[in-house]
């Protein structure tokens, strides 16, 4: 069975000129691969493939320099090392990301929290390295006592963030989405009106292909051992798609799976029946963060949040009789 989703709240895409040229640009960044497909016009100075490649790489490098947990020279790592009560100035885009993250933390009552960096490391999903056994309860409790999103102080006037002395930020749940948005802004500044961007499985698209068909993409979904996987397709025009799933990063101990999505309220990996959550949103940064937040909330509370905030979300639950889908009202409205 195939489900097809069509965006509702965007203008019809412009028909590409007959002489438009298709370019596919690729590279590696943020510990993953990226691909950009786009239509450019011959003779347009901003549409030169080499120039576009260089510009995209510059955008990604800037994200890494600001927000990487894995690069000790990044602004994020500098903040995580800073002494207690020190204010650190942030670039406007970095500040905007933190500001949105704290808003989502407040909205979800801490189900989403970028201050869980030490917990991520403790569980072996950060730069400290992988582990094959779960950490001690006492260590988890100690990390919880170090503080959470409520501990962060933002200075909106001067675009500053204050270190409490015990907080470590981790932006892995929002950084890739933010990077896609930065690439999209760059492309649109070059008068590119037809593109599909993919970074580590997350996507953002605009316009249509040369044959006037949409940028069709398949929504990531976990395999069901007993039944053929249901296929989900979305036309990405003015939309981004991000998926959070328990089947990507995990380790097993004594027959139990510990997935990489942590519940920052408890300090432990999420334990619910959700296999994956997919969010469609104009902003990939928000889609990225929301997919994680809804996964932590679980299907019932996550669906309630998505409906209350008009978020297009698809929930896939594991049940004894196979995968079951639930979708928010906004997602169901996009079904073709």
């Amino acid at each position: 069975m195939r489900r097809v989703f069509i965006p509702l709240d965007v203008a019809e895409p412009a028909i590409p000129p007959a002489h438009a040229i298709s370019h596919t640009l690729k590279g590696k960044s943020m510990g993953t691969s990226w691909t950009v497909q786009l239509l450019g016009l011959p003779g347009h100075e901003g549409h030169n493939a080499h120039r576009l490649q260089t510009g995209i790489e510059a955008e990604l490098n800037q994200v890494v320099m600001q927000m990487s947990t894995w690069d000790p020279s990044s602004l994020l790592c500098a903040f995580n090392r800073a002494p207690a009560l020190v204010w650190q100035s942030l670039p406007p885009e970095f500040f905007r990301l933190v500001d949105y993250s704290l808003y989502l933390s407040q909205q979800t009552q801490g189900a989403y929290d970028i201050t869980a960096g030490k917990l991520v490391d403790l569980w072996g999903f950060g730069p400290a390295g992988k582990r094959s056994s779960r950490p001690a309860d006492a260590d988890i409790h100690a990390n919880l006592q170090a503080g959470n999103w409520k501990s962060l102080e933002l200075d909106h006037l001067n675009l500053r963030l204050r270190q409490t002395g015990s907080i470590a930020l981790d932006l892995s749940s929002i950084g890739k989405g933010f990077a896609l948005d930065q690439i999209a802004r760059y492309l649109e500044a070059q008068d590119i009106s037809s593109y599909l961007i993919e970074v580590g499985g997350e996507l953002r698209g605009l316009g249509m292909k040369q044959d006037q068909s949409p940028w069709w993409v398949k929504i990531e979904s976990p395999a069901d051992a007993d039944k053929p996987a249901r296929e989900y397709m979305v036309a990405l025009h003015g939309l981004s798609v991000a998926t959070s799933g328990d089947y990507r990063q995990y380790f097993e101990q004594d027959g139990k799976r510990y997935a990489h999505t942590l519940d920052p309220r408890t300090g432990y990996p999420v334990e619910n029946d959700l296999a994956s959550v997919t969010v469609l949103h104009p902003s990939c940064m928000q889609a990225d963060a929301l997919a994680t937040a809804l996964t932590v909330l679980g299907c019932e509370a996550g669906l309630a949040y998505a409906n209350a905030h008009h978020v297009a979300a698809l929930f896939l639950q594991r049940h004894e009789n196979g995968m079951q889908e639930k979708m928010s009202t906004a997602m169901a409205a996009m079904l073709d």
Side-chain angles (χ1 to χ4, degrees), residues 29-95:
S29 182
M30 304 171 67
T32 188
S33 60
W34 63 265
T35 303
V36 174
Q37 301 175 65
L38 59 89
L39 294 183
L41 299 179
H44 191 300
E45 184 181 356
H47 295 188
N48 175 270
H50 177 73
R51 176 174 172 172
L52 290 169
Q53 176 90 18
T54 301
I56 292 167
E57 289 174 349
E59 294 292 334
L60 289 167
N61 289 341
Q62 184 181 55
V63 174
V64 170
M65 287 170 59
Q66 291 184 13
M67 305 177 185
S68 174
T69 314
W70 303 78
D71 186 342
S73 64
S74 73
L75 191 57
L76 176 71
C77 287
F79 174 82
N80 287 347
R81 293 191 302 265
L85 307 182
V86 167
W87 286 99
Q88 181 163 320
S89 297
L90 300 179
E93 60 272 15
F94 195 162
F95 187 90

Side-chain angles (χ1 to χ4, degrees), residues 144-159:
L144 286 176
Q145 299 309 303
N148 56 32
W149 64 275
K150 295 179 181 178
S151 309
L152 283 180
E153 290 184 66
L154 276 183
D155 178 354
H156 286 80
L157 183 62
N158 298 299
L159 304 187

Side-chain angles (χ1 to χ4, degrees), residues 163-220:
Q163 171 62 272
T164 66
S166 57
I167 291 294
L169 303 184
D170 183 283
L171 304 180
S172 57
S173 61
I174 194 171
K176 277 194 301 181
F178 176 84
L180 266 84
D181 289 342
Q182 293 297 100
I183 295 172
R185 289 189 185 95
Y186 167 76
L187 293 177
E188 290 171 28
Q190 311 307 310
D191 297 323
I192 301 289
S193 58
S194 180
Y195 59 74
L196 178 66
I197 309 164
E198 186 268 333
V199 179
E202 295 177 3
L203 301 116
R204 175 169 167 161
L206 183 70
M208 60 175 67
K209 294 187 286 187
Q210 203 160 19
D211 62 2
Q212 300 183 24
S213 65
W215 293 107
W216 287 110
V217 300
K218 185 183 293 188
I219 293 177
E220 190 176 322

